[in-house]
Each structure stands twice: as C-alpha cells, then as structure tokens.
Amino acid sequence: MNLSNLAMRKSVSSLSWTRLRSQVARMTRRDDAEDLLHDAWVASASRDAGPDNADAFIARTAANRGIDAYRREQRWGLVGDDAFALIADHSPLQDEVLIARQRLERVRAGVEQLSPRTRQIFLMYRLEGRKYREIAQQLGISQSAVEKHIARAMAHLAEWMENW
C-alpha cells in the first residue's frame, strides 16, 4: 500500500459515514446505499493512487455503482420487490417439513383413537368442509349430536397433541 492510498484510507475513516450514506441515498434513490458505499470504499482502498477529495470520489463511485445496478435491474426486468420474488425460495426448510410430517402423523394417530362414529363426523366436518346441518341430515341425527361429536373429537385431539 503506497502513501497516497494510506492517506485516502485515513481520510475516509475520519469521515462521517452517515453523511456519506445519506448523500449516496439521495443521489441514487436506492435502499441499498450502505452496500453501495461499502463497495465503493473497498474498491477505492485497493487503488494505487488516492484522489484529492476522498469524500467526493467515494460518493461518486457509490452512485455509479447504484446506476449500474439500476441498469442491470432494468435490463433483466427486476425492479423493487420483483427482484426478490425472482430469487426468493419460498419452499419450507427441510426441518420444517420433517416436523410437519411428524405432527401430521401424531394427529392421524389421534384421529384413529376416536370412536368410528365420532371419527366419521369429525372427518366430514374438517376434511370435507361440511356444515353441522348437512352432516346431521346425511347421517340422520340431530345437529346437537353432531356438535357433541365434534366437541368430543376436538377435546381428544387437543389433549392428544398437548406436550407433544
């Protein structure tokens, strides 16, 4: 590292980083001004010759990087949240999938412990999405009986899943 580069680093370290960041944010109108500024500082620190005005040089370099990023996004049609939507992985993590499968198996085992009639009514309600009135009409029982079977099933499953 030569003397001019050392002088530029020393000059940059004494600068108000917050002031530079807000200047870059104003110049680029981007949310990633901090990243642009950091990239510009790293690039300028690796140069052999330091500029006379390190503040202006780093701010301009950061702004140019912001312009380049904007042009790249425009070329690829990536603007705002669309860029993140393109690269984001919305699938669940492997451990979340494993836990969900284990929980489903636990619920399935709890449903199997219900009496056949209660299980039938509960599955008609939860899986088929039927209303109490529809279930009562199809099975020839009162709506109150359907409500009691559903309540019994829910209480059993809540207890079954507790502390699991």
Side-chain angles (χ1 to χ4, degrees):
M1 185 178 322
N2 63 24
L3 289 176
S4 61
N5 196 355
L6 183 62
M8 186 177 90
R9 273 192 172 195
K10 187 174 183 180
S11 138
V12 169
S13 64
S14 65
L15 295 175
S16 168
W17 188 264
T18 306
R19 184 176 51 80
L20 271 177
R21 185 183 61 228
S22 62
Q23 181 181 359
V24 171
R26 276 192 316 274
M27 291 169 70
T28 61
R29 293 189 174 105
R30 293 179 60 92
D31 295 331
D32 60 349
E34 178 90 26
D35 295 335
L36 295 170
L37 188 59
H38 183 264
D39 288 346
W41 185 82
V42 168
S44 67
S46 66
R47 291 174 44 102
D48 287 337
D52 292 335
N53 186 348
D55 293 5
F57 177 78
I58 290 176
R60 186 71 251 168
T61 302
N64 287 343
R65 288 176 181 267
I67 292 167
D68 291 345
Y70 175 77
R71 288 177 180 158
R72 222 178 3 263
E73 291 165 356
Q74 290 298 310
R75 183 175 45 234
W76 290 98
L78 306 175
V79 179
D81 292 336
D82 293 340
F84 295 115
L86 181 66
I87 61 173
D89 183 10
H90 299 289
S91 60
L93 299 174
Q94 290 178 352
D95 59 337
E96 292 172 341
V97 171
L98 181 61
I99 291 169
R101 285 181 182 160
Q102 290 172 344
R103 175 171 272 139
L104 181 61
E105 280 302 314
R106 177 79 175 165
V107 170
R108 186 175 291 143
V111 169
E112 289 299 319
Q113 290 183 350
L114 297 172
S115 69
R117 184 67 152 190
T118 301
R119 180 174 47 245
Q120 177 188 19
I121 292 170
F122 177 74
L123 293 176
M124 289 173 77
Y125 174 68
R126 294 300 286 186
L127 292 182
E128 297 174 15
R130 295 190 183 188
K131 299 182 190 245
Y132 290 175
R133 179 180 30 82
E134 296 172 0
I135 297 170
Q137 287 174 351
Q138 182 176 350
L139 298 178
I141 60 175
S142 69
Q143 187 170 333
S144 175
V146 172
E147 291 171 1
K148 288 176 185 170
H149 281 285
I150 298 292
R152 191 177 304 128
M154 295 296 278
H156 170 74
L157 291 175
E159 184 180 323
W160 176 254
M161 294 301 291
E162 188 176 345
N163 297 326
W164 181 77

